Structures are given as structure tokens and as C-alpha cells.
Amino acid sequence: MTWRDLGAGELRTEHVGQRLKLAGWAARRRDHGGLVFVDLRDASGICQLVVNPERSSDAAAAAREIRNEFVLQAEGEVAARAPENVNPGLPTGEIELQVDHLEILSRCPPLPFQLDDEGVDETLRLRYRWIDLRRPRLQRNLRLRAQMVSTIRRIMEGAGFLEIETPILFKPTPEGARDFIVPSRLQPGRFFALPQSPQILKQLLVISGFERYFQIARCFRDEDLRADRVQELAQLDVEMAFPDVEFIIGLMEEMLAAVWRECLDVELETPFQRLSYADSMLRYGTDKPDLRFGLEIRDLTEATRGSGFKVFGEASAVRCLTVPQELSRAELGELEERAKTLGAKGLAYVVHDESGEPRSPILKFLSEPELEAMRAEPGSTVLFGADEPEQVARVLGALRLHLGRQLGLIPEDVWRFVWITDFPLFAWSEDEQRWTAQHHPFTRPTAESEALLESDPGAALAVAYDLVGNGEELGGGSLRIHESELQAKVFHALRISAEQQQERFGFLLEALKMGAPPHGGIAFGIDRMLMVLAQEPNLRDTIAFPKNQAGLDPMSGAPSRVEEEQLAELGIRVVVEDEAEKVRR
């Protein structure tokens, strides 16, 4: 049986006079007296059906029963619309199908929400995800995703990279988030972990002689969710032997350019800009700066040394942000409260009125040279951060982004990509009172930094590089450590004991002693790339079946309880909340 001869969105004027079958969903039904108009939708688009009782009484009887999202099959003659009825907004707007036979293939009850409704609660949307996915925006997103991944594969294969799958059930690896743990029935009391990334496995593949590897890998991170973070994600994973950083960066730029060209018909300008980590933190307060707008942070530390305003004079760093607007007291108050939620003690300011005259409660404490260093255009406001450098960067970086959005400074349909380089090798953890890996513990220190691993770990730099697009981190990579002795030194700096090294990474350290070539690579978040490509504010709308912010699936009810028999088979006992609290005590 032939359900249809063409897609609904494929009909054109050259089909006028032909008898054709179409099948799809009823997107809309309009009853105009005797005539019934139905917008029939399928994956290819929309076509208008016209049901005339004078042409077919049976079809007209069926048409009167139709409601939104009924599944239909229609057969009839393609006709040209009258000039006054042409719809220029549709590719099929010049024609319609005059229906002779209409069959309802599947019915649909009243929907929990309409496909064109705005502001539908996300939990409701996820509960009925099969309906939500029919919406044009999500249809576009997932089609873009498929096209994007296809383009990525073509570029990688063209560069000689071989796609190899790695296990989902593996050993826990330190990526910064909690692991999802899977019990083993055959090895009672032992557990697998779902991979946070295939980091160690891809290194082992290159050590095995597969010099150019890639994979569209599934990754799992048990972490708190937000608009740009999910627990189950996909990434483009890349590794190569005898790596050349410029080659890796150039290939990734070629890949991004191809994706934007083929998916959006947009030509990206390459090579992309580069910024050191230190420069990015100083000028933008973040290592993922949005360069679509200015509003750069200025450093006033030296200009305010010995200032009569003690907040400036005693601070390790003083920096400012110049807002191109004369802010009111209410607006300044709102910004100060926002700054306090970010850890600031307050928010000093100087407002320059339309004549350029400054006003501020702190003016009486400032010298003329200080005021000169702070001077800004008339009709603007200078906001200050004074604290430790990291805290100042965090506060002013967040305010910069907030003001960029609030003041409409961020242009749409503009693409700005930047490589961030020269990352610190380590980051200090106040909670753990030890150094942790800025990226991961297999990242190679620069040649100059190897001598600092013991004497000054905080000054050590990594051969690492991140790509940021429109303020979102799209990918990150590095050269890896291929010498077991150097890897052990980095583990030691991270306070990973020799026993822990053998327990967690013994197989990697052994492999590094057996002819490991220099190697390095990069990983790109597929979901995050699509988020930027499709200009989606919510990462969950780039994924077919995501979990909600609580890590639940409202559609299926997962995660669900497991039968006691299955738990017993696995050697697991579930401790209820009260019991768990006693155990913790």
C-alpha cells in the first residue's frame, strides 16, 4: 500500500492537474460554510487541503470530524490557488489539493497544550514530549542537530580520523562531577561508572596505534542542572598522535565554518581571535567571554595605590566597568544587590552627567589623578570592583553580561568565536585545601612549567585551549602527558598518593611506559554547539528526550523504583531517608 506520493511540503505549481495522495497531521482546520480547509503537515512542510461537499460528500463528512493532530490520508487533484488566495509565506502557497477521498488514520483527544502556545510550563512540555517535539522550533533544532553531526563526521573523516566507539560501562575517572554508578550482578559489591568522557580510553587508543581517533560520544555527569547544563550529553571527542596545536585548532575552525555554512548559510571569518586566559579574565572577567559587544573591564589597581578611599587603597585589585548610560539611584541599587549576591561587599560608582560632571559619594576621597584615570564619556556610569583579583573578575564579569543583555548591547545574528589559551594547570580548592586540575589531570604543563610542579604549582601553565562562541564554551582540549614520570609528578601535585594512582590509573601509567607517542586532542559539546547554532537559551531544547532540572523524566517517570528481587540479585539494599540519616551520624 502507498500511503503518499509526495510530502505535503513538496507540492509545487508543476504538480497542478496531477492526482496525488498525501498523508500527515492536521495542523489546523477551518470550516467556511460548506468548504473545509485543512492544513496538512508532515516532515516536509504544510499543504492546504480543500474539502468541497459538492466534489465529495464522503470526504466532507470525514472532514467535519477532524481536530488538530488527527492523522489523515487525502487523495485528490492538485489545483492552482486563485491569485487573491496565494500564501507567499508558504513554499506550497500557490497550490492546494482538491480532496476526493479523505481517511482519518488516527484520532487525537484535546491536547494538553497547542503547538503554537507560548510560555507552556516546561514540566508539561516534557511530560508530553512527543507532542512538544512536533513544534516547529524543536523540529528545526533536531534537524539542525542531525545536519551538524553529519557535517562534523564528514570533516573529521576527510582529515583522516577514524571513528571508534568506547565502552559506556567503565571505571570512574576524575572529571570534576559525580559519576553515575552501575552495579555489577556478576561481580557482587563492585560497580561500573558511566563515562564523564572517554578521556583515558581515547589516550589508550592513540597509544594503541590509532593515530587519529574521533567519536560522537555519550557522556554522563551526575551534577546539578541548569539552563546550559544536562546530566546526559553528547560530545565530539578527538585525539591524535604526534599532535600539532595549530593543526588541531585549524581543523576545528574548518569544522565550525563548515557547520555554519551548511546549516545556516553563514560564512564564518577564520582564523578566530585568540586571547590568553589572563587577558580574558582581566578584560572580561571570565574565561568564556561574549565578544559580540564591548563593555570591557579596565584595570585601575596601580592608579588607585595609596588612595584616600580605603576600599581602593587596600584592595589587591581595583577594576572598573563603564556603562554607556547615566544610571539612576534605583538602577544602581539593583546592580549593587546583584553584586552582593556574587560575593561583593558593595558596588562603588561614579556617574558622569550629560555635561561630563562626575557625582558619587566617594568623590571626596579621590585625588585628581584618580579621577582622571576613571574619567568616562558624558552620560555614562563607572562601576568599580575592589577585592581579590578572582572575586573582582567574577563580579564585574557577571555585571558586564547582565548589562549587555539589559541594555540591548548584544546584537542578534552575529557570531564571535575566540580561542582562550595559556590556562593555569591547576586551580586551588578552598573546600579541599589542595590544588585541583583546571581541566583534567592528564593535561600537559608547558615546558617552562614542569620545574614549577613542586615549587610553585599555582604559577604552572598548561598546553590547553578552549573555543568560546558567543559567550558559550563550545570545546576544550590540550596536549596530554605521554611520560609516566611526568604524569606521576602531576598526580603528586594533586595529592593523589602512589597507592591511589595505582588503584585509579595503574593501567594508564603502565601504558604510558610502553611506547606512548606524544598525543593531544579536543572535545566539543554537541548540545552546546547546537545551542549556539540554533540560538537556543535552553540546552534541553537541543535534545530529543532530556531530563528536567531535577534530573527527572516527567514523560516516563524515570528514575523509577526497582523490585526487591532485582536489588537482592545485585546485592544492594536501599536505605530509607531516616535510616540514611542515622548512618551519616
Side-chain angles (χ1 to χ4, degrees):
M1 177 181 181
T2 301
W3 291 103
R4 54 189 172 192
D5 301 312
L6 280 178
E10 296 174 338
L11 267 66
R12 297 294 185 271
T13 52
E14 57 263 31
H15 297 116
V16 169
Q18 295 183 24
R19 290 193 59 79
L20 295 173
K21 286 181 186 175
L22 303 178
W25 287 263
R28 188 180 175 206
R29 173 186 175 276
R30 305 178 304 284
D31 197 333
H32 290 188
L35 294 178
V36 176
F37 297 89
V38 178
D39 290 341
L40 187 74
R41 182 193 76 245
D42 66 10
S44 65
I46 287 178
C47 176
Q48 178 172 274
L49 309 180
V50 180
V51 184
N52 188 337
E54 295 181 3
R55 184 180 182 103
S56 173
S57 58
D58 289 344
R64 284 193 287 272
E65 298 183 43
I66 292 172
R67 297 293 180 268
N68 285 2
E69 300 308 302
F70 276 31
V71 181
L72 312 174
Q73 183 189 52
E75 183 178 1
E77 182 179 344
V78 181
R81 294 196 197 188
E84 64 273 16
N85 294 330
V86 167
N87 182 349
L90 284 177
T92 60
E94 295 181 88
I95 51 88
E96 59 194 16
L97 188 75
Q98 298 283 344
V99 178
D100 294 314
H101 174 75
L102 181 66
E103 183 177 353
I104 296 173
L105 303 177
S106 180
R107 295 172 182 268
C108 181
L111 297 174
F113 53 87
Q114 297 302 315
L115 270 61
D116 57 357
D117 284 351
E118 296 294 334
V120 179
D121 177 71
E122 186 182 50
T123 299
L124 185 63
R125 288 175 50 211
L126 293 179
R127 167 68 181 83
Y128 295 97
R129 190 63 165 178
W130 62 88
I131 295 294
D132 195 35
L133 285 172
R134 296 179 192 173
R135 296 153 75 101
R137 183 168 59 85
L138 295 188
Q139 286 274 319
R140 178 203 64 150
N141 287 354
L142 293 190
R143 293 178 194 283
L144 268 178
R145 185 185 180 110
Q147 187 179 5
M148 180 180 79
V149 170
S150 176
T151 302
I152 289 170
R153 282 197 162 101
R154 178 171 51 76
I155 295 297
M156 297 307 299
E157 290 168 357
F161 285 76
L162 182 68
E163 185 166 13
I164 305 175
E165 294 180 350
T166 53
I168 291 296
L169 297 178
F170 193 56
K171 191 177 179 71
T173 57
E175 299 290 334
R178 295 183 185 89
D179 288 307
F180 280 101
I181 300 299
V182 181
S184 170
R185 179 182 62 82
L186 298 177
Q187 303 292 329
R190 293 177 177 266
F191 297 83
F192 294 104
L194 302 183
Q196 294 190 36
S197 85
Q199 178 59 50
I200 293 178
L201 291 165
K202 69 181 178 182
Q203 290 186 245
L204 292 174
L205 281 169
V206 173
I207 294 171
S208 302
F210 296 99
E211 294 188 18
R212 294 190 175 189
Y213 143 94
F214 87 99
Q215 180 184 187
I216 305 297
R218 302 300 301 178
C219 304
F220 307 86
R221 295 168 190 173
D222 187 4
E223 56 188 355
D224 295 335
L225 304 180
R226 50 186 197 225
D228 63 346
R229 180 187 288 172
V230 291
Q231 293 178 326
E232 183 178 357
L233 56 142
Q235 71 179 35
L236 164 65
D237 206 48
V238 178
E239 197 80 2
M240 67 180 295
F242 311 107
D244 179 323
V245 171
E246 292 303 320
F247 172 81
I248 293 172
I249 285 177
L251 180 61
M252 293 302 101
E253 290 182 349
E254 178 189 348
M255 180 265 290
L256 263 291
V259 166
W260 257 252
R261 181 186 309 116
E262 294 175 20
C263 294
L264 296 183
D265 196 25
V266 168
E267 287 294 334
L268 298 181
E269 185 178 339
T270 57
F272 299 150
Q273 183 179 345
R274 298 189 194 185
L275 275 176
S276 71
Y277 172 87
D279 201 18
S280 182
M281 295 300 291
L282 182 67
R283 293 166 59 186
Y284 302 102
T286 177
D287 60 359
K288 44 181 185 292
D290 191 335
L291 301 187
R292 289 175 294 174
F293 67 108
L295 223 60
E296 284 193 28
I297 298 167
R298 288 190 293 142
D299 187 55
L300 297 175
T301 306
E302 289 306 314
T304 56
R305 290 304 77 188
S307 174
F309 186 48
K310 286 188 177 181
V311 172
F312 289 175
E314 297 175 358
S316 298
V318 180
R319 297 172 190 169
C320 72
L321 191 65
T322 302
V323 184
Q325 185 172 309
E326 190 177 343
L327 298 178
S328 67
R329 286 182 180 275
E331 289 168 327
L332 288 164
E334 185 272 329
L335 288 174
E336 182 173 22
E337 288 306 310
R338 183 177 290 271
K340 286 180 178 178
T341 65
L342 296 164
K345 299 178 182 69
L347 187 67
Y349 64 87
V350 173
V351 177
H352 294 83
D353 63 22
E354 292 301 328
S355 66
E357 195 66 27
R359 70 171 188 273
S360 169
I362 67 170
L363 284 185
K364 58 187 175 183
F365 303 109
L366 302 176
S367 65
E368 280 302 321
E370 286 176 282
L371 286 171
E372 188 58 35
M374 300 168 184
R375 193 165 301 283
E377 293 293 319
S380 60
T381 303
V382 183
L383 306 174
F384 300 94
D387 207 318
E388 294 301 316
E390 298 80 7
Q391 175 66 14
V392 174
R394 179 165 55 250
V395 172
L396 292 186
L399 290 182
R400 172 184 180 268
L401 195 55
H402 168 72
L403 288 163
R405 291 168 178 157
Q406 188 179 59
L407 301 180
L409 303 178
I410 306 176
E412 295 182 5
D413 299 322
V414 170
W415 312 99
R416 291 288 181 269
F417 296 86
V418 57
W419 288 101
I420 307 299
T421 63
D422 303 314
F423 278 88
L425 185 64
F426 302 116
W428 180 254
S429 170
E430 284 293 339
D431 291 340
E432 301 178 45
Q433 285 295 296
R434 69 176 183 91
W435 293 106
T436 59
Q438 178 81 16
H439 281 81
H440 55 65
F442 317 111
T443 302
R444 187 173 197 83
T446 62
E448 301 79 13
S449 296
E450 289 184 29
L452 302 174
L453 294 178
E454 293 184 9
S455 61
D456 191 4
L461 296 180
V463 187
Y465 33 85
D466 282 2
L467 183 64
V468 176
N470 286 7
E472 295 285 348
E473 181 188 330
L474 302 183
S478 66
L479 297 191
R480 323 301 188 192
I481 299 167
H482 67 274
E483 310 94 328
S484 61
E485 299 84 0
L486 181 57
Q487 184 65 76
K489 284 183 181 179
V490 170
F491 284 154
H492 179 72
L494 295 169
R495 293 190 194 169
I496 301 174
S497 69
E499 293 76 16
Q500 290 172 322
Q501 292 177 35
Q502 284 303 314
E503 170 65 23
R504 299 181 194 174
F505 313 111
F507 63 102
L508 174 64
L509 292 172
E510 191 174 12
L512 291 176
K513 295 175 182 177
M514 295 184 177
H519 56 283
I522 197 166
F524 271 74
I526 295 294
D527 318 293
R528 190 70 59 84
M529 272 183 66
L530 182 59
M531 186 178 175
V532 173
L533 183 75
Q535 297 180 298
E536 271 292 346
N538 192 325
L539 199 68
R540 291 186 289 279
D541 283 337
T542 69
I543 299 167
F545 297 103
K547 312 297 184 292
N548 66 13
Q549 283 191 295
L552 303 173
D553 177 9
M555 181 180 70
S556 68
S560 52
R561 297 184 184 279
V562 175
E563 295 295 331
E564 287 295 332
E565 293 80 2
Q566 189 174 0
L567 290 175
E569 193 176 29
L570 293 168
I572 292 175
R573 182 169 67 91
V574 174
V575 179
V576 297
E577 193 169 324
D578 290 345
E579 234 181 305
E581 185 61 32
K582 289 178 186 176
V583 170
R584 280 195 291 271
R585 288 174 184 171

